[in-house]
Structure formats: structure tokens, C-alpha cells
Amino acid sequence: MKEVKIESTLYVFENLDELPEEISLLMQKAVKARENAYAPYSKFHVGAALLLDNGEVITGNNQENASYPSGLCAERTAIYYAGSQYPGAKVLRMVISAASKRQTTITPIPPCGACRQAISEYEVKQESPIEVYFMGEKGKIVKSNSLANLLPLVFDKSVL
Ligand code: THU
């Protein structure tokens, strides 16, 4: 038996002022999308903004349902819309903002496992990395240079 170590490198910005302007503008769009989330059950509002290589910005937010599992996360709402409307475009980056109505969210909120798997599908398909930035309502912002970095041992089409 041998030990195998898996490493990921992330970058942490202390606050919004530290972000490059282009990212800060996308974050503003993610926040705006977050404010339109439909999350009456969890009261946890998430917004995502995607930049495509054709210059389009796609936003999405979480959509909940009285039948809980029928709801969908912000990240998948956004990336599935992008995939459906711009099937040939590459996703350059995804910027995510999350805020709870119960308390101030100061921890950066990463995409859930199901969303990582969904985003990964597009990264594999387009053969180029998708940058991911995520934050709470305020505080630090975390950047990953690719989705693969957030999902080691990914399940993808290469095994099918
Ligand atoms: N949620 C997202 O929108 N994105 C994530 O990556 C994590 C969770 C949503 C789903 C649900 O509406 C609420 O947050 C609480 O889980």
C-alpha cells in the first residue's frame, strides 16, 4: 500500500476591495441575482454569475420547492441556462455569493458537491478551466483556478 496525497491551491482575498475590478463587477451581478433567489424554506439565498467567452454574463439563483428535493441550486440554475442558450460558448469563470436571512454569512460558501459535479461536466467538455470565486454576504472571497481543484477524483466521461 502507498499513501497518495491530493493537494489543492486556493487564493483568498480579504474583502471586495482586494478583487480585480472585472471580478468585483461580476460579484455585484451575483449579489443582484442572490437578491432574487426563491428560498422561502431555507432562507439561504445564493446567486451565481458566469462569464462566457462570447462576452455574455449569465446569472442564476437558487429556486426552492415545497417538495424540497425538486429545488435547484444557484450554480446549476446558471450553468444549465448557459449550456442551453449558448451551447458552443466556454465558461471562463463563475462568481458566487451566498447570504442567510437568519444570520450574517461571513464564511465563503463553496458550491455544493452536486454543483461541483455539474460545473465539472462543462469544464471537461470545453477542455479549459473554469475559475470559481465564492463568498458569503461579506468578508473573504476564495478563488479556485479551476473546478477540478475543488473536486479531486472527479467522475467524468473518460471512464464511460
Ligand atoms: N444552495 C445553492 O444554491 N448552492 C449551493 O452550492 C449550496 C446550496 C441552495 C440550495 C438551497 O436552496 C439552499 O441553498 C440551502 O441549501
Side-chain angles (χ1 to χ4, degrees), residues 62-101:
N62 51 328
Q63 296 293 316
E64 297 189 346
N65 193 282
S67 171
Y68 292 2
S70 300
L72 195 64
C73 291
E75 296 88 332
R76 274 176 286 165
T77 302
I79 206 157
Y80 289 155
Y81 183 83
S84 66
Q85 298 303 305
Y86 302 98
K90 291 186 179 185
V91 182
L92 300 181
R93 60 180 63 102
M94 176 180 284
V95 176
I96 303 158
S97 167
S100 170
K101 292 285 168 203

Side-chain angles (χ1 to χ4, degrees), residues 11-16 18-20 133 139-143:
Y11 302 89
V12 180
F13 298 84
E14 277 309 304
N15 51 49
L16 287 169
E18 254 196 35
L19 283 180
Y133 291 78
K140 295 183 178 19
I141 300 103
V142 176
K143 175 191 181 192

Side-chain angles (χ1 to χ4, degrees), residues 35 123 147:
E35 287 166 354
E123 186 168 274
L147 190 284

